[in-house]
Amino acid sequence: MGKIVARMARRNTGYGRWPALEARIRLWLLRGLLETESWRPLYLGDAGEGYEDTEAFQMRRLLGLEALARNASRRTVLAAMRAALRATEAAEIDGLPGVQTLSAEIHLSAIEQEVLLFAALAKAAGLFRQGLQYMGKVRNRAEATALTAVCVGITSQEATAVLARGSVLAAVGLVTVEAQGYGSNLDDWLETAPDLLGHLLDPDLSAATLLASYLKTGGEPARSLADFNHLAHVIALARPLLKSAAAGRRGVNVLFYGPPGTGKTALARALAADLGMRLLEVAVTDADGDVLAPQGRARALRLVAHLAAHGQQAIVLFDEVEDYFREEYAFPGMVDRVGLGKGFSIDLLEQVASPVVWIGNKIDDIDPALLRRFSLACEIPPPPTVVRARLAAEYLTPLGLADHPLTERIARHEGLVPGLLAQAARTTALAAIEDCEARATYYAQVLNGLLAALGQAALPGREAAILGYDEAFVNADCDLMALIDGIGRLGCARILCVGAPGTGKSAWARHLALVLGRPLLTYRASDLLDPYLGMSERHMAEMFARARALPSVLLLDECDSFLRSRVGARHHWEVTQVNEMLTQMERFEGIFVATTNAREDIDEAAFRRFDRIVTFRPLVRDQRRALVTRILADQGMAVGLSLPETRLLDQCEGLTVGDVAAVLQGLRLEETWAAAGLVKAIYAAWRGRGRTDRRGMGFTAAMS
């Protein structure tokens, strides 16, 4: 509707349906043009052919001066304008029904109504905007306020009060005066809510209809808060805060951030439903379907929050927060801006009338001055294994894939998020594939494509966890179950796992996270090392900060890369990296598991920072036999081993579960294999590869 109005405004006067609006425009322009002595462009002297098509002639028609001769003198034009002003001021100008209804609901005075219409028309009506430009450039906020006062017919003091940052119009988000470049036009200084004029011309306008016009509709149904048990720490912080904010407290802002698809919006919906509050999501498009600029969305947010505060208790949702708060880099010599300006953004956060949940993926570019003004900031990580398994079953069951092995593969992918599972399910349903296995393959391929696009690893292969995790096949120098119980009881620990590759160090850390019901944050050397000086240390600090914000299990593989002995270090940065890691470890109060294959390279000072050092050894003879027997049983084969086969296994000193997993990967290329084939393959791999060239790593060596 707003664009239609704007087009009509550019076509002659264009306000035949709204005589009250045309009368106001005439009154405002006559006052301003006469007061600023900027009416002279309306005098063209002896105008030639085509005069009726000129902008000045169209302006004369808008001002009620079309009866003037086209070559009327300046004195005649001035006299006619003064007469038109007296006649317009004497006439009674009706109000707009929609504006009157809205004003009664949000308590706008008569002056505020006039300024509201003035600003809306200044932004949307082309010919009116051109008339304002005749009045000259506006250099500062005071001049913008003064010129508005002249046109509307109020005092400068009244205009200053109506347009102040703390005024009703500004607080609601309807009209604000925003700083512009030196010498801008008045319409540039006046900023309004998106498509404001179109809404004001709606005769059925009310606070409810205006609110609805700025809300996003649709979306997935609200989940139960019980679906987010893995985020109990976030719920425990956010729920009481949002509940108390519903009592009318200003400036309550909750920030949920994390990778796309982790369920941030779904969590906000679940919180609102649990509290019995409406969730109002600020729209990303206008009434015509065009994308709103970040500034427009910010004003829509302020309007939604204000209107919501005067109705049913509600929580406002603002998605893609980084698009609004992203810094805008200016030209050299100019000041950088954040959103609508740091001052506006700070005021928005501190004065917003309803509780707001802000959703973002990355917050690295948000100014710290803004971040510190959030009431609460919580990272929403990918869900832990148990939750992934439940979500996988939830999305696969409608596809006829309940209890399919694909569920287990999804559960083992540490970085998989609910949004990807839902998208792959929708795509597979649309494909309407009849065969069950073909449908499962299609789902896996769609999911792998999405993962690849996001730079993540594909789903683990079917056989990747054929051995699973079984403490019977772990040869550690302590009681791992007792250790897990102690860690769970205390909620904090720093554990160093040492041992040869494939002995189960990382697998035990994953098992620890599974038992404790915590997400696993996995980092490797490649995730932290950076060629730029000081950046590796920064990545370390960020790693611990992220783990500190979540009740997770932090796993650092290849920790010897950062804890290498400082004796004999050749470069300063080698020492600073170790110092940073030691400092962060000492300050960390969560659960930290570090693994290394090279204990002899670890700095002596590092050992004092760990609560327990656990050594993982290769399988002993009885474990090797039991492992092969279990594999045969899982394959439905006879479990008995012949004497030659037993002797071969007994020779494999130093064999690890990772070695056996690598052998199974190769055997899957063969159609059939028996006990003799398995044992011979294990023996050949053990003898041929030696102890330093081992392809399998851990219990869950990649099999895909």
Side-chain angles (χ1 to χ4, degrees), residues 581-613:
M581 180 61 71
L582 293 176
T583 301
Q584 291 292 341
M585 287 173 54
E586 196 164 15
R587 295 175 179 174
F588 185 63
E589 297 181 352
I591 300 176
F592 175 52
V593 179
T595 70
T596 180
N597 304 328
R599 174 173 179 161
E600 63 279 3
D601 293 339
I602 301 293
D603 193 281
E604 284 299 321
F607 292 114
R608 298 194 299 272
R609 265 71 172 189
F610 289 101
D611 303 313
R612 179 67 65 87
I613 300 173

Side-chain angles (χ1 to χ4, degrees), residues 2 9 23 31 83 87 95 101 110 140 149 205 319 408 426 446 455 460 525 538 546 607 615 621 639 643 648 679:
R31 284 173 177 163
T101 302
N140 51 52
L205 179 67
D319 205 351
E408 189 269 339
R426 285 191 291 266
V446 170
R538 178 177 176 179
R546 184 185 178 197
F607 292 114
T615 301
R621 184 188 65 178
V639 298
L643 184 59
L648 284 179
V679 173

Side-chain angles (χ1 to χ4, degrees), residues 600-682:
E600 63 279 3
D601 293 339
I602 301 293
D603 193 281
E604 284 299 321
F607 292 114
R608 298 194 299 272
R609 265 71 172 189
F610 289 101
D611 303 313
R612 179 67 65 87
I613 300 173
V614 182
T615 301
F616 288 74
R617 306 186 182 95
L619 300 170
V620 298
R621 184 188 65 178
D622 289 344
Q623 287 177 315
R624 296 196 294 271
R625 292 180 180 183
L627 179 57
V628 171
T629 299
R630 197 196 98 175
I631 293 172
L632 295 174
D634 290 344
Q635 297 296 319
M637 301 179 184
V639 298
L641 294 176
S642 66
L643 184 59
E645 292 164 357
T646 302
R647 287 176 176 173
L648 284 179
L649 277 179
D650 290 348
Q651 295 180 50
C652 297
E653 293 291 339
L655 187 73
T656 68
V657 177
D659 295 330
V660 179
V663 169
L664 289 176
Q665 178 181 3
L667 286 178
R668 70 176 183 168
L669 299 175
E670 302 179 13
E671 293 185 7
T672 59
W673 47 272
L678 173 61
V679 173
K680 288 180 180 179
I682 291 174

Side-chain angles (χ1 to χ4, degrees), residues 111-133:
I111 292 177
E112 288 167 335
Q113 292 180 48
E114 287 297 295
V115 173
L116 176 64
L117 279 171
F118 180 85
L121 284 162
K123 300 300 290 187
L127 197 55
F128 178 45
R129 185 166 59 246
Q130 184 60 49
L132 293 175
Q133 292 173 6

Side-chain angles (χ1 to χ4, degrees), residues 336-352:
D336 292 350
R337 298 195 305 152
V338 180
L340 292 174
K342 187 181 294 186
F344 180 94
S345 299
I346 290 174
D347 181 67
L348 176 63
L349 289 170
E350 293 180 344
Q351 299 299 324
V352 66

